[in-house]
Amino acid sequence: MTHLMKTYYIDIENKVIHQTPEAAEWHFKIFAPEEEAAKISDELRKNYNADLKTYVRSHIPFLEYHHDPQNDEYDEAIEKVYEMIYRYGDEEAKEHIERMGILSEKEKQS
């Protein structure tokens, strides 16, 4: 079964995926089946929710970052987003993520 690849535009800052480049400012262009784009959108939503939790947690002065499960949740979600963008991204997206140095070789190959 062949999945039709479509072009999507990802706005990392606002955690949104668009189908047209004119919809809003975007950071990454990907080519993916609709199901995979939906997964990326889901991960962006998880990241947004985790981001809100870290904001609330940041107002607890005695809790250190590395002892905070909300930060782990945020890190895991954003790493998954970048892994999927790398997998489906255009050459510019892949190069940008390479320069960021946030994915291991294993994550780039999955």
Side-chain angles (χ1 to χ4, degrees):
M1 177 185 212
T2 306
H3 297 284
L4 180 63
M5 301 295 257
K6 294 183 179 179
T7 305
Y8 297 94
Y9 303 87
I10 299 176
D11 176 354
I12 288 289
E13 287 178 24
N14 294 306
K15 301 179 184 2
V16 183
I17 187 168
H18 303 284
Q19 292 187 353
T20 61
E22 299 84 19
E25 185 175 325
W26 53 274
H27 305 96
F28 297 103
K29 180 179 181 179
I30 65 166
F31 306 100
E34 193 172 325
E35 305 82 39
E36 293 300 309
K39 288 178 187 177
I40 294 172
S41 183
D42 221 30
E43 289 299 326
L44 287 167
R45 199 171 9 267
K46 286 179 190 174
N47 182 255
Y48 174 78
N49 291 334
D51 196 21
L52 289 177
K53 290 176 189 175
T54 62
Y55 174 76
V56 171
R57 197 255 7 120
S58 71
H59 292 86
I60 304 171
F62 57 87
L63 188 58
E64 297 176 15
Y65 181 92
H66 59 283
H67 292 137
D68 183 4
Q70 289 85 3
N71 286 327
D72 293 341
E73 187 179 332
Y74 174 87
D75 293 346
E76 188 177 300
I78 198 66
E79 190 172 296
K80 183 70 174 166
V81 167
Y82 280 115
E83 182 181 320
M84 295 174 84
I85 292 170
Y86 187 85
R87 184 179 319 140
Y88 296 106
D90 64 1
E91 211 45 50
E92 190 176 333
K94 290 179 193 275
E95 289 173 8
H96 184 88
I97 292 171
E98 287 274 343
R99 285 191 305 273
M100 292 172 72
I102 61 170
L103 299 180
S104 68
E105 287 304 313
K106 180 182 175 195
E107 290 167 324
K108 289 186 231 173
Q109 295 172 3
S110 60

